[in-house]
Amino acid sequence: MKNFALIGAAGYIAPRHLKAIKDTNNVLLAALDKNDSVGIMDSYFPKAEFFVEFERFDRHIEKLKRQQNVQLDYVSICTPNYLHDSHIRMALRRGADAICEKPLVLNPWNVDALEAIEKETGNRINTILQLRLHPSIIALKNKIEKENKKEKYDVDLTYITSRGNWYDISWKGDESKSGGIATNIGVHFFDMLSWIFGNTQENKVHLREKHKASGYLEFEKARVRWFLSIDETTLPKQVKEKGQRTYRSITVNGEEIEFSSGFTDLHTTSYQEILKGNGFGLQEARQSIEIVHDIRNVELVNIGEKHLFL
C-alpha cells in the first residue's frame, strides 16, 4: 500500500485520480485545493486531511515524515496547467514520485528543467496519457505497424466540446495559464497521433482563436487535418438536432475510428501501470508539448490542406 497526496482536489479531473488511488488499494494521506468544494472525497478517502493553504499542506507532510516516520510515495497533480511544473518539483523534493495530468507542462524548456531535477532527486515524473491505453487506439497503432505502408495515411481529427460562459472566466480561458484551446483540449489527441504515426515533420496553423483552432500536421506516416472547438455553433447540424453538445471524430483514410467508449477506467489503468514502473515519463510527453507550443506561436498561414470545417 502506497501513500499518496493530491493537489487540486476540487478540480474536474480529481475524482478520476481519487478513484484510481482507491481502486489500486492505496491510501490518500492529504489533499490540497484553495477551493473547498471537495465533498467528493467522502466517497473515496473521508479520513484524508484536507488543506486550502499550501503552507499548511506542506507542513503536514513534513510532520508525517519527522514525527510518524510516514513517507510520501506519490503526489497526484490535478492543478491548472501553468502550475504543473512547480507542483512536480515540490513532489520530487519531498522524495515522492509525481503523477501529473496532461499537459505535463506548457513549454518544451519546462521539460528540460524537470529532467534535471528528476536526475538530481532520483524520483520519477509520470504523466497521464490515457489514450495510449485505450483498446481502440492500441488496435489502430498495431494495424498501422502491421500494414507498414510507404504512403502516408490521411487523417481527419475533429473535436468539439461545448463550454459555457464560465470557461472564459476560469483559468482555462487564460492562455497564459491553460496554453489555449489546442493545449487544453487537444494535447492528448496530438500525443496519440504522434505515438501512432511518428515524429512531426510539419506544423501549420490556419485558425487560432480563443474558442477554436485548426491546422495541418504532418507526421512520418500521416497527414492530419485537425479542428478543435469549444464553440457550440460549430457543431454539425445532425449533432445539434439530437441535443448533443459534444462531437468527436477521427478518420483514417476515410474510416471512422470508434473510441467514444472505454474511457471510464483508463485513469485506473494508468495508475496500475505507473505502480508497476511502466508509466509515461518526460520523453513520452515531449513531442506533444512541442506540437502545442508551436501551434500557439507559429505564424498563421492560408495555404496547405485545410480541415473541412473551415
Side-chain angles (χ1 to χ4, degrees):
M1 186 177 285
K2 300 295 184 181
N3 294 322
F4 278 76
L6 186 146
I7 308 178
Y12 159 77
I13 205 68
R16 296 190 197 180
H17 288 260
L18 291 168
K19 182 177 185 298
I21 295 168
K22 190 174 181 66
D23 287 350
T24 51
N25 298 314
N26 295 297
V27 62
L28 182 71
L29 299 178
L32 168 70
D33 202 297
K34 68 177 184 178
N35 299 306
D36 59 10
S37 299
V38 292
I40 186 67
M41 288 176 60
D42 282 347
S43 300
Y44 299 101
F45 298 101
K47 294 184 179 180
E49 298 294 338
F50 174 69
F51 301 89
V52 294
E53 295 174 279
F54 177 84
E55 293 78 8
R56 291 184 174 182
F57 169 79
D58 186 59
R59 183 170 61 200
H60 177 71
I61 291 170
E62 179 71 12
K63 285 173 67 177
L64 287 175
K65 179 181 178 182
R66 302 290 180 188
Q67 297 179 11
Q68 300 180 33
N69 198 31
V70 174
Q71 176 61 44
L72 197 59
D73 297 301
Y74 291 92
V75 176
S76 298
I77 298 161
C78 309
T79 49
N81 302 345
Y82 73 110
L83 298 175
H84 285 176
D85 61 333
S86 176
H87 292 151
I88 289 169
R89 287 195 297 273
M90 173 267 175
L92 268 60
R93 287 175 180 144
R94 278 280 168 211
D97 289 353
I99 301 176
C100 186
E101 262 301 332
K102 61 200 165 299
L104 185 67
V105 289
L106 293 180
N107 303 298
W109 54 86
N110 301 141
V111 178
D112 298 332
L114 290 179
E115 195 171 39
I117 194 167
E118 199 177 45
K119 289 177 181 176
E120 287 173 12
T121 61
N123 290 100
R124 180 169 168 78
I125 299 166
N126 305 277
T127 189
I128 302 292
L129 300 173
Q130 75 269 37
L131 283 183
R132 295 193 185 199
L133 301 174
H134 194 291
S136 297
I137 302 304
I138 293 171
L140 175 60
K141 180 177 172 64
N142 292 338
K143 177 177 181 285
I144 299 300
E145 289 176 352
K146 186 177 180 180
E147 290 178 347
N148 196 27
K149 288 184 178 181
K150 290 184 179 179
E151 62 271 20
K152 295 189 178 186
Y153 293 85
D154 285 309
V155 178
D156 285 287
L157 163 66
T158 312
Y159 184 47
I160 304 169
T161 177
S162 306
R163 295 289 186 266
N165 294 334
W166 66 268
Y167 189 95
D168 288 340
I169 305 303
S170 76
W171 64 267
K172 295 182 180 184
D174 183 341
E175 184 174 305
S176 69
K177 295 180 177 180
S178 70
I181 185 172
T183 304
N184 204 43
I185 73 166
V187 69
H188 57 304
F189 290 114
F190 296 130
D191 171 76
M192 176 201 73
L193 292 168
S194 62
W195 183 58
I196 295 172
F197 296 110
N199 292 327
T200 314
Q201 296 179 332
E202 194 172 349
N203 189 347
K204 292 179 180 175
V205 180
H206 301 125
L207 174 71
R208 185 173 55 225
E209 297 178 359
K210 190 167 188 178
H211 294 161
K212 52 185 180 286
S214 184
Y216 171 80
L217 277 164
E218 189 158 331
F219 297 96
E220 291 173 285
K221 298 179 183 178
R223 295 183 295 266
V224 180
R225 293 162 295 275
W226 59 269
F227 180 86
L228 303 169
S229 173
I230 60 168
D231 180 358
E232 63 180 336
T233 65
T234 59
L235 287 165
K237 183 180 178 183
Q238 68 273 19
V239 176
K240 290 180 187 176
E241 289 174 349
K242 292 178 183 177
Q244 297 174 351
R245 290 175 55 81
T246 299
Y247 175 73
R248 177 171 50 208
S249 171
I250 296 179
T251 62
V252 179
N253 286 352
E255 182 181 342
E256 188 75 35
I257 306 302
E258 174 52 51
F259 68 107
S260 57
S261 60
F263 279 91
T264 310
D265 295 317
L266 287 182
H267 274 72
T268 294
T269 306
S270 298
Y271 270 64
Q272 289 168 342
E273 292 302 314
I274 289 167
L275 289 160
K276 289 190 288 188
N278 300 327
F280 300 118
L282 294 174
Q283 294 316 312
E284 285 88 353
R286 184 182 291 274
Q287 184 166 204
S288 60
I289 299 300
E290 291 173 346
I291 289 171
V292 294
H293 170 267
D294 290 346
I295 287 171
R296 286 198 304 273
N297 292 284
V298 297
E299 187 176 345
L300 291 176
V301 297
N302 198 30
I303 57 172
E305 296 188 53
K306 295 183 180 180
H307 191 282
L308 286 173
F309 278 41
L310 292 186

